[in-house]
Amino acid sequence: MSFFDSLRQKAANVKFLDKLADNFTPVMNRDEKFRLEYKLPEEEHVLDDTNADVSILNPYKRAKRAENSERSELAYVFSGRLYLTPHYLVFRDSFDSTSCNFTLNISTIRKVERAPIMSYAYSLAITLHCGTRMVIQFIGLRNRTDQFCHKFKELLRENIPNTKLLAPFLETCYSEYLIARNVLRESDVNPPPGGLGQRYRYPGDASKEKPKLKLWLDYFQDQGKNLTIVKNHMFYKLIRVGVPNRLRGELWEVCSGSLYSRFANPGEYKRLLEANEGKDSRAIEEIEKDLNRSLPEYAAYQEKEGIQRLRNVLTAYSWKNPDVGYCQAMNILVAALLIFMTEEQAFWCLVSICDNYIPGYYSKTMYGTLLDQRVFESFVEQKMPLMWEHITSHDIQLSVVSLPWFLSLFFTSMPLPYAFRIMDILLVNGPKTFFQVALAVLKINGEDLLEVDDDGMFIAILKNYFQTLDHSAHPDSADIRYRQITKFQELLVVAFKEFSIITDSMVDQQRSKYRKDILHNIESFAKRTQLRNLPQVRNLTPDNLSNIYDLFYLCIESHKISMGTGSSNMDFEAFVQFLSKFCDWCKPSESDERPNFRKQKRAFLKRLFTKWGSSGSQELTLNDVVFGLDGLLSKDLMSSINYFFSLFDEQGKDEINGESILQISEALLFLTEAWKSGRYVDKLTQKSIEDDIADSIVMNNSAKGGTLEDIELPAGVTIDEEKYKQEQAERYLQAASNFLQRSFEYARPSEEKEVDLIDLSDDETESKQAKEKKWESLKANVALNPNQTSVMDLATFRMIILADETYEMFFAHTLRNSIHVDEKIGSRDSRGGALRNMFDGFLADGKRVASQVRRRVDSVATKNSSSSGSAAEATDIQDEVDDFTSGHTFEHDDLLKHDLISLEDNEGNEPNPESQRKKLESFSFSDPSETREHSLIEFEA
Amino acid sequence: MNSALTSIKLVLLGEAAVGKSSIVLRFVSNDFAENKEPTIGAAFLTQRVNMGDHTIKFEIWDTAGQERFASLAPMYYRNAQAALVVYDVTKPQSFIKARHWVKELREQASKDIIIALVGNKLDMVETGAERKVALEEAENLASQEGLLFFETSAKTGSNVNEVFLAIGQKIPLKSAQQQQQGQGSSGLRINDDSRVDLRAAQDGPAPSSCNC
């Protein structure tokens, strides 16, 4: 087998859900990765990048350094990569990004000049609005450097308007206040608006607040602040030891990158709230339920102001991201953020956390949460094999224990002050932090955990552990320094030293490894739930419902749904696509090229769509579709006719007017087109083919003079396909014209007025084209007559349908069997499968014709006792006949173009009833428009 | 008192803010908090109840009620022997959800799970709020599906203990049988149910120090 064949075969074997999940393993492009790494807003992308050496000089250098006046101009030089995005100049040290990296908003650049040349290299000296100077020495070819500088110059010019935004923005930053107050000695400045902590105090011990603030003040002087901050080792160290409460809001903004989105979108938060004021939604309802229950122990959340802020931020987010809306746990996260941040700051920080740190955690299916639980389990398995052994052997469900930690970012597990510390580190170090801390929690409590054997006890032990984080980790140690180490400090050491082996790329890798499984599970869970909650139906089996479910979601981008986004309803276009997947009369065909047919198709489908819709909206739910199909698939002739009639009986009076009669006939024309054009065969044609074949066999046999008892079935049969197609087409046309004629004949006119109808005789010799013409003129005649105000009731409609064998058959069998709710997705999609079906179809058909012959022979040879076996067979066949008209894959057409297909029937290989059904569905004729000359199909029995 | 100890894994299910956690809090600590934090994922609590000749230890899994947490529920009702499906008598929507939960449990949970249907916040009806779920409707559902049924108020404590007692009374016979089986097979079996049996076997003979 060639490489490509094997590939193709593999592809065909992939199940529907697998395919789905595969498509949505997100592959990030370079820009997305870049944005994620530097936490930059959506609109940023790399415009250019180059290698460069950067050194930074600061205006506020503390006095002791400034004393060495000459030397102070010498600073560390960092070699790394410099990137340009539309609004940012980004740098990171190539060897260790934590030694120097910055993300400068270009509008903060006040001056750029050629640096005095100290070597052959090309250098720029950049002065920022805050006074920081940095020298960038480009490394690389001169023309590349020129190109970069040229781009840089352009961006500087483009960013000039943004400099106006700078001053008001900086007023919201606490670091600016600190500098103004302590360095510039401006005594009249007020601290910028901040979180609830300003008024209601910050939770936890505040004794270290002042020395920590001092350290940060020094850092800001050395390395810049907010939009111009340069992060080095010291920055990360200061974060690790815990951020002072007053600066926490701003530093969380810097670390999460929400500072950049807030700067880029001034006023958006307010606009979101204003634009949606007074609107109602599911999310808002859910938010209201939880407002009084978010960190209720914190004083501000027992008062109006705190609750209002919480409401605003959660509501704004639900409008910003309606796919997520609101998820319990967000209230706790936001309540925590609001202690340190203003509403607007908390809003953007929430956006950044949800997008960059915990993607999918709060989505409607919470797939991110489930995924990270799986990832966590895999880390436990890898890094703590003993614990894993214990967990699996005792059937303990780890995620039951750990899920709340992740979901609420430890806020509901640990005392608040510790959860804030974890948050500090999470925002600067990324999602790996969760896993490191969670692993450390298990590790530290390992001995205790190994002694218990159920998840409830696990929880109890860990609950106790979290509540005693402030206790000494080594209470019995002789060394006082050991005794002073708290359990929390121990936790950090274990998490970030011992489990530093867990990296972000490992997390990414594990996430993509398990994503497919998780999405698959969510999908099958959602399917089970939805199917279970569907209302009772009469004509659909559970298997049918399952297939309908798959098809429904196939047509409305179900991938988005398992990620928790997107609508789960179906619009009209998706509806058409949906039906075309399993209804023979809706499948795309060459008839679609005729405008008239397209019009009929659209009109009927639109009618169906409107009828099925329950909510009056322009969308269908799964329930609507199930109900609709259930009606359409009525099992008996009468209810099938009634249902069809009700589609047109808009007032529900069991009566339709002349206009609707025309529409019914148009709809019937559309529905029967597939048979009229010979793409499918109905039961009547099928029967006449079999009769003819059987007749000819019997005749041949008797001509040979053989006795009827030992009649031999011929090795093959040939049929004249074109002839039957022609007959069928004429039958359908005749039915259509009969219908219209009788409709107006039997319709009860509002006024007694004879309608002048042209004669439509059943003249056998009349050509198809002539009939078609006649029908058109008849229709025009009726439609044009302004006095035509006849009405038709249901009983009349039924009578007219029953008066015509073809239409009767259509409602009794053909329509129902043309709707393949019993076929699974994929069974008709894969090329290989279709081919096999077709072969099987011929085999089964040959057999059936053969038994038809036998039956005939039996009936002739009345006294022959061999009929018993055949009779049993015949009843089976009768059932199969019902299924015959259905099923047709386009691949057949290509193959059927060959005039002769000869097939061997393997007698020893009796197909089971299930496959037999499938086979029969696949039998069909090729399209007449493609093969004008008579094609002969040979069967071997 | 020297009595056998049976553990029952019990799970609470129901729409958000119908009072699942409050029922548990009332049962476990005989307490009520007006503004309880929503349950994130699930909470785990235990309570022992003296049933005369034996003691039952309820291992209670209190789940989050928000719709999107529903996909996590199987994690919690797995192996549960009893379930409380809670709705709010003033919220018809919560009763619809309760029906769904009963259906799901019947289909997905252990075959012989004992389900109690609980209409909570009865105090609100008594203090003037309109009742939106008729007693009859709930009783019908309960009798159709073979559920225990109670209307409770976690706030006043009315009927809360009765729910758990009724569950406790329905369970011991079966558990006792299983217990013997567990002992018969020398307690080395490891399967879904063995956890409970084994401990019951171990704990049984030991003098129980705590009785409620």
Side-chain angles (χ1 to χ4, degrees), chain A residues 660-776:
Chain A
S660 297
I661 297 174
L662 279 184
Q663 282 166 359
I664 283 200
S665 76
E666 295 265 344
L668 283 170
L669 271 187
F670 153 68
L671 281 173
T672 54
E673 170 71 21
W675 290 269
K676 190 147 62 68
S677 58
R679 279 198 299 282
Y680 302 101
V681 189
D682 73 2
K683 204 176 143 194
L684 295 172
T685 305
Q686 168 64 19
K687 192 163 174 299
S688 91
I689 293 174
E690 284 173 7
D691 283 352
D692 288 355
I693 293 173
D695 275 347
S696 73
I697 292 173
V698 172
M699 226 149 68
N700 281 343
N701 237 289
S702 53
K704 278 187 220 147
T707 59
L708 289 172
E709 281 157 56
D710 45 42
I711 188 165
E712 287 281 323
L713 284 174
V717 188
T718 59
I719 60 163
D720 181 351
E721 189 193 335
E722 200 57 29
K723 178 185 141 217
Y724 295 110
K725 249 187 283 187
Q726 191 78 28
E727 278 177 13
Q728 181 172 284
E730 284 185 20
R731 200 150 48 71
Y732 273 94
L733 264 177
Q734 187 60 48
S737 61
N738 284 349
F739 173 80
L740 203 59
Q741 190 182 15
R742 286 176 185 142
S743 292
F744 287 100
E745 206 172 307
Y746 294 112
R748 176 163 49 80
S750 321
E751 316 159 53
E752 289 302 319
K753 201 166 180 192
E754 206 49 51
V755 186
D756 187 23
L757 292 171
I758 52 167
D759 170 59
L760 263 171
S761 65
D762 283 0
D763 188 353
E764 293 296 332
T765 57
E766 201 167 25
S767 76
K768 185 174 156 188
Q769 282 77 8
K771 270 192 183 153
E772 226 158 49
K773 219 176 245 165
K774 213 171 207 180
W775 189 87
E776 286 296 332

Side-chain angles (χ1 to χ4, degrees), chain A residues 173-444:
Chain A
C173 297
Y174 196 84
S175 56
E176 295 293 329
Y177 164 76
L178 265 188
I179 295 276
R181 188 76 194 245
N182 297 293
V183 180
L184 307 175
R185 306 274 171 206
E186 295 170 17
S187 52
D188 57 337
V189 288
N190 289 319
L196 292 161
Q198 273 182 338
R199 235 180 77 196
Y200 296 89
R201 310 188 42 166
Y202 300 99
D205 166 31
S207 63
K208 298 211 184 89
E209 181 82 357
K210 205 151 186 195
K212 280 181 182 168
L213 267 179
K214 178 73 175 77
L215 285 170
W216 278 102
L217 178 66
D218 291 347
Y219 188 86
F220 292 150
Q221 290 181 66
D222 276 358
Q223 306 293 340
K225 54 210 174 307
N226 51 66
L227 289 172
T228 60
I229 200 164
V230 176
K231 293 175 220 155
N232 61 23
H233 286 311
M234 189 61 177
F235 177 86
Y236 295 100
K237 204 167 162 186
L238 286 176
I239 295 271
R240 276 199 301 273
V241 300
V243 172
N245 288 322
R246 281 167 186 75
L247 273 173
R248 192 165 253 142
E250 181 175 328
L251 288 169
W252 280 359
E253 281 195 282
V254 169
C255 295
S256 70
S258 68
L259 190 73
Y260 311 126
S261 18
R262 180 161 72 89
F263 182 62
N265 302 288
E268 181 175 337
Y269 172 70
K270 228 184 188 152
R271 275 197 300 279
L272 266 172
L273 280 179
E274 279 163 10
N276 295 295
E277 208 181 335
K279 277 202 221 163
D280 219 355
S281 75
R282 173 81 177 271
I284 293 200
E285 212 175 285
E286 290 173 334
I287 290 169
E288 289 297 325
K289 277 185 187 168
D290 289 348
L291 285 177
N292 288 319
R293 343 195 261 159
S294 314
L295 301 187
E297 68 273 20
Y298 185 69
Y301 296 119
Q302 285 151 21
E303 287 181 35
K304 269 203 179 124
E305 192 193 348
I307 287 181
Q308 185 56 38
R309 287 193 195 186
L310 194 58
R311 174 184 289 123
N312 287 349
V313 174
L314 288 171
T315 314
Y317 187 82
S318 80
W319 294 122
K320 163 108 180 152
N321 196 344
D323 285 337
V324 169
Y326 167 74
C327 175
Q328 288 187 328
M330 283 168 85
N331 60 328
I332 290 165
L333 171 59
V334 172
L337 294 177
L338 279 172
I339 295 177
F340 303 100
M341 295 174 151
T342 62
E343 285 180 29
E344 190 183 11
Q345 289 165 342
F347 170 77
W348 288 109
C349 197
L350 177 66
V351 171
S352 172
I353 290 173
C354 291
D355 290 353
N356 300 330
Y357 293 87
I358 49 171
Y361 268 42
Y362 300 144
S363 81
K364 288 213 170 89
T365 57
M366 303 180 73
Y367 82 94
T369 310
L370 294 167
L371 176 59
D372 273 5
Q373 288 310 302
R374 188 70 196 82
V375 172
F376 178 54
E377 281 177 354
S378 84
F379 283 145
V380 173
E381 187 178 358
Q382 288 167 33
K383 308 297 175 203
M384 302 170 73
L386 252 180
M387 177 69 76
W388 183 248
E389 223 286 305
H390 181 73
I391 287 172
T392 44
S393 65
H394 289 89
D395 193 26
I396 291 168
Q397 194 136 17
L398 189 57
S399 43
V400 157
V401 181
S402 56
L403 186 137
W405 306 347
F406 286 74
L407 194 59
S408 66
L409 296 86
F410 287 103
F411 279 112
T412 49
S413 314
M414 292 185 192
L416 281 183
Y418 297 120
F420 293 146
R421 295 278 306 274
I422 302 285
M423 186 80 166
D424 293 343
I425 297 164
L426 166 75
L427 292 182
V428 77
N429 279 358
K432 66 180 178 198
T433 311
F434 282 139
F435 298 100
Q436 292 169 333
V437 173
L439 285 168
V441 168
L442 291 189
K443 172 102 188 175
I444 290 168

Side-chain angles (χ1 to χ4, degrees), chain A residues 787-799:
Chain A
N787 301 323
Q788 188 62 48
T789 51
S790 22
V791 290
M792 176 159 73
D793 59 14
L794 178 58
T796 316
F797 177 70
R798 277 205 295 242
M799 185 194 76

Side-chain angles (χ1 to χ4, degrees), chain A residues 293 324 326 328 362 528, chain B residues 36 61 66 68 103 108:
Chain A
R293 343 195 261 159
V324 169
Y326 167 74
Q328 288 187 328
Y362 300 144
R528 229 171 43 212
Chain B
K36 248 193 133 308
W61 289 93
Q66 202 188 6
R68 64 190 70 186
K103 259 187 177 178
Q108 304 292 334

